Amino acid sequence: MKLSLFMASVGLLASLSSASAQGDLDALRWKNRILILFAPSDGDPSFTRQSRLLLADEKGLAERELVVLGVAGGKVETLFGDPRAKHDAGALRRHFGLDARAPFEAILIGKDGGVKWRQDAPFEPRDMNAVIDAMPMRRAGR
């Protein structure tokens, strides 16, 4: 009985954390595209390289209405843009099925809230821009 009650509590907490992450992301829905960079630490070479590549083209990020979040270790940092919600690293990792020790991963979320692109290695911004520029809302000028 105690074990099943414990397991139910753990399940409830996990679903609440995932709901919390979705709620935080929903605050940006229809306003911004979101790129989340996940890494085990902020000293991760892939995280550092990707951040540098992206921030070299702030004009392109702004044109595409992107908010870039870095989830490194247990913290979330806004790398570009103006998010209107607080984000929890653990909740974001659980929401996207990533362990805290998982290697680098980048996830692009469209304005509709759906995952549009995932990469497990640093990429050139032009590759991401091509994905965004092909999106119906982007082609419609939104």
Side-chain angles (χ1 to χ4, degrees), residues 8-135:
S9 297
V10 168
L12 178 62
L13 287 174
S15 66
L16 288 174
S17 288
S18 185
S20 171
Q22 187 61 49
D24 291 346
L25 296 175
D26 283 347
L28 300 170
R29 187 178 284 194
W30 305 117
K31 298 175 188 127
N32 296 99
R33 294 172 183 90
I34 307 164
L35 178 67
I36 308 175
L37 305 179
F38 290 95
S41 74
D42 56 4
D44 179 80
S46 294
F47 181 83
T48 303
R49 179 167 186 257
Q50 189 64 70
S51 299
R52 190 176 59 248
L53 285 169
L54 289 166
L55 295 177
D57 184 22
E58 289 188 8
K59 182 180 177 195
L61 296 173
E63 282 177 14
R64 290 169 180 83
E65 299 176 314
L66 267 164
V67 168
V68 181
L69 302 175
V71 180
K75 66 180 181 176
V76 180
E77 178 183 1
T78 302
L79 303 175
F80 182 83
D82 181 26
R84 293 161 185 86
K86 297 286 183 192
H87 301 279
D88 177 80
L92 287 170
R93 286 182 185 284
R94 281 186 294 280
H95 183 73
F96 291 104
L98 298 171
D99 183 82
R101 296 176 305 276
F104 174 86
E105 185 155 358
I107 299 176
L108 176 64
I109 302 163
K111 285 186 174 182
D112 65 357
V115 173
K116 305 302 181 187
W117 195 57
R118 288 178 92 129
Q119 292 293 306
D120 61 2
F123 55 88
E124 290 295 325
R126 70 176 171 268
D127 297 334
M128 177 188 66
N129 292 347
V131 172
I132 292 171
D133 292 346
M135 292 177 180

